[in-house]
């Protein structure tokens, strides 16, 4: 959905903190995380705070912060990956997060900072491919997605798809070669050429644009690990 996301009136404001958290492990990101926690959890004693690295992916680094061994209250610190702003509109991402939170489809967003955001930890299990083959679980996923797809976040505007705009942005970032000779060899032999990919996208655009499908609010990053299943709560 393109440039039409509006946060519902009355939604809590999300503070923007002028803090930068280092991506380096150990003292690097701990110092920045503790600065955030002084604002978000001022009653926590810094020496008692445990930091646990949950993910260290190419897109984001996710760190869980809690006191001692108590995981009832965990603050998640997400550090954006290098140059990911070229792919992701961070302002729109925060708007989407707040819209989903207002409809009970996302955890509480505590704050944003210079290179990331902090939000509530949701108790449960991050799913694997075998989980999503379970009918009991995939039906729950389908119901939750249906709920997201029915959210009207466009404030009266007729929403337009940003799929082709986003795909065009991806194409503008495609490398032509890599310095590493072995990597470059795999790149040239295993990846279709930009021309082939452009032709495939043109084919998709022609057919999908004529289906008359409604444009709805979408997740856009529905990896298994982005789905949390709380068995007790169903």
């Amino acid at each position: 959905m393109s440039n039409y996301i509006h946060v519902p009136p009355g939604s809590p404001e999300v503070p923007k903190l002028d803090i930068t958290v280092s991506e380096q492990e150990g003292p690097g990101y701990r110092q920045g995380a503790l600065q955030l926690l002084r604002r978000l959890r001022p009653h926590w004693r810094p020496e008692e705070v445990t930091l646990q690295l949950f993910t260290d992916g190419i897109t984001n680094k996710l760190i869980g912060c809690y006191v001692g061994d108590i995981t009832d209250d965990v603050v998640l610190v997400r550090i954006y990956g290098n140059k990911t702003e070229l792919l992701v509109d961070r302002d729109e991402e925060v708007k989407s997060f707040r819209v989903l939170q207002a409809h009970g489809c996302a955890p509480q967003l505590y704050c944003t900072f210079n290179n990331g955001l902090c939000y509530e930890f949701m108790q449960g299990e991050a799913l694997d491919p075998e989980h999503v083959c379970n009918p009991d679980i995939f039906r729950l996923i389908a119901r939750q997605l249906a709920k997201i797809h029915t959210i009207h976040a466009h404030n009266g505007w007729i929403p337009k798809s940003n799929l082709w705009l986003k795909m065009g942005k991806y194409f503008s970032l495609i490398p032509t070669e890599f310095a590493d000779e072995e990597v470059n060899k795999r790149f040239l032999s295993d990846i279709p050429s930009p021309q082939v990919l452009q032709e495939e996208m043109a084919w998709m655009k022609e057919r999908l644009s004529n289906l008359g499908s409604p444009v709805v609010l979408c997740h856009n990053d529905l990896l298994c690990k982005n789905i949390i299943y709380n068995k007790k709560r169903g």
Side-chain angles (χ1 to χ4, degrees), residues 177-190:
E177 61 181 352
F178 290 88
D180 185 297
E181 188 175 334
E182 189 61 35
V183 171
N184 198 55
K185 184 178 178 181
R186 292 207 315 272
F187 172 66
L188 295 174
S189 63
D190 297 348

Side-chain angles (χ1 to χ4, degrees), residues 48-156:
E48 295 178 353
V49 173
T50 298
L51 268 60
Q52 179 181 348
L53 182 64
F54 287 151
T55 63
D56 192 10
I58 58 172
T59 308
N60 300 305
K61 186 188 291 285
L62 190 62
I63 304 163
C65 308
Y66 51 94
V67 173
D69 297 323
I70 302 172
T71 56
D72 291 338
D73 183 15
V74 179
V75 174
L76 292 179
V77 177
R78 185 208 289 178
I79 305 170
Y80 298 144
N82 186 34
K83 297 187 185 298
T84 51
E85 71 279 358
L86 297 175
L87 298 174
V88 180
D89 184 324
R90 295 301 181 186
D91 290 335
E92 287 297 301
E93 180 185 41
V94 170
K95 280 186 187 178
S96 298
F97 204 128
R98 293 177 66 193
V99 166
L100 292 173
Q101 179 184 318
H103 288 84
C105 297
Q108 183 180 352
L109 182 59
Y110 296 134
C111 74
T112 64
F113 53 94
N114 294 336
N115 61 326
L117 45 82
C118 296
Y119 55 100
E120 174 191 13
F121 174 76
M122 302 195 78
Q123 299 288 341
E125 183 178 6
L127 299 188
D128 287 319
E130 58 266 25
H131 291 118
V132 297
C133 294
N134 180 332
D136 293 334
I137 294 178
F138 70 59
R139 287 190 178 98
L140 291 173
I141 296 169
R143 278 200 287 270
Q144 188 73 357
L145 286 175
K147 183 178 179 182
I148 291 172
H149 292 168
T150 58
I151 293 173
H152 295 284
H154 43 82
N155 198 29

Side-chain angles (χ1 to χ4, degrees), residues 17 19-22 26-41 44 46 49-52 63-65 75-79 113 118:
L17 304 183
I19 294 171
T20 301
V21 181
S22 170
Y29 64 60
R30 182 177 179 86
Q31 182 180 355
L34 290 177
Q35 281 185 275
L36 293 168
L37 293 172
R38 275 196 285 273
R39 300 284 296 273
L40 300 174
R41 297 292 186 273
W44 285 6
V49 173
T50 298
L51 268 60
Q52 179 181 348
I63 304 163
C65 308
V75 174
L76 292 179
V77 177
R78 185 208 289 178
I79 305 170
F113 53 94
C118 296

